[in-house]
Amino acid sequence: MKQLKTLLLATALCIGTVSFSNAQSKIAHINTQELITAMPEMKEAQKQLETLSKTYQTDIQSSVTEFQTLLKQYEAEAATKSEEENAKRGQEIQEKQQRIQQFQADAQKDLQKKEMDLLQPITEKAKAAILKVGRAQGFDYVLDSSQGITILTDGKNLLDDVKKALGI
């Protein structure tokens, strides 16, 4: 998502500088973040990500609870066990803790990958709709106003037209 924002920002800046040198260009603007947020596909993607996140959180919490129970048991029994057995149990605890940490890292990576997989087709659809509407209305450039760029022209805002084209 950060790469997409950076790419859109760089594109908008390039288009902005070119458009100022060519005063005859028709310019419009759109807030792509607002458009993508309004798309039903985005709402569905967010639901899927929340469900996956909750599943991972439940699994992690279960593992942590199991770890804490095991740790308490080992601490309570430590006085009655030999040093060798306590060392072995300590190693088991460290290994379990490492597995939990690895699972958390894997879950985070999986969530990020899933987010990218879900967002890519949504952003592509939004981009295609923006291009279609922009071309149909004869605009040479469409700037993205969601990147914090100050739009210095009174160009047309295409948000409502693109939403209509997407059926939103």
Side-chain angles (χ1 to χ4, degrees):
M1 192 71 177
K2 281 186 176 182
Q3 292 173 342
L4 176 64
K5 287 181 180 179
T6 304
L7 179 64
L8 288 173
L9 176 62
T11 303
L13 287 174
C14 289
I15 290 172
T17 56
V18 169
S19 67
F20 288 120
S21 66
N22 185 3
Q24 305 211 358
S25 298
K26 286 183 69 180
I27 300 171
H29 61 91
I30 188 168
N31 185 329
T32 56
Q33 284 301 114
E34 187 177 335
L35 174 65
I36 289 172
T37 302
M39 293 173 69
E41 296 92 336
M42 184 62 173
K43 292 174 180 146
E44 181 60 35
Q46 287 174 332
K47 286 180 187 176
Q48 287 181 27
L49 288 172
E50 286 176 22
T51 301
L52 184 60
S53 178
K54 286 178 184 177
T55 300
Y56 281 135
Q57 282 299 104
T58 301
D59 291 347
I60 291 169
Q61 188 59 44
S62 173
S63 295
V64 167
T65 302
E66 183 180 316
F67 171 77
Q68 289 172 340
T69 302
L70 186 64
L71 184 62
K72 287 178 184 176
Q73 177 188 349
Y74 282 4
E75 287 174 350
E77 296 173 352
T80 62
K81 302 291 180 181
S82 67
E83 275 187 44
E84 182 180 303
E85 196 167 340
N86 282 335
K88 182 180 174 185
R89 294 168 111 193
Q91 182 67 27
E92 287 175 15
I93 287 173
Q94 286 179 344
E95 289 172 3
K96 185 152 186 76
Q97 187 175 21
Q98 288 173 350
R99 283 193 303 269
I100 291 170
Q101 290 171 344
Q102 184 62 45
F103 180 74
Q104 285 175 320
D106 291 344
Q108 185 65 31
K109 286 179 187 175
D110 189 41
L111 278 170
Q112 288 174 346
K113 182 182 182 315
K114 183 72 170 177
E115 181 178 22
M116 290 300 292
D117 291 346
L118 290 172
L119 293 182
Q120 184 177 1
I122 295 169
T123 55
E124 291 296 323
K125 182 177 179 181
K127 180 182 174 186
I130 292 168
L131 286 172
K132 179 181 172 186
V133 171
R135 286 179 181 149
Q137 294 186 11
F139 289 103
D140 297 319
Y141 301 103
V142 178
L143 302 178
D144 184 1
S145 62
S146 67
Q147 301 301 319
I149 299 171
T150 303
I151 305 297
L152 300 175
T153 66
D154 291 327
K156 180 175 179 169
N157 186 351
L158 292 180
L159 185 61
D160 293 331
D161 296 333
V162 175
K163 281 183 175 181
K164 185 189 291 184
L166 287 171
I168 301 174

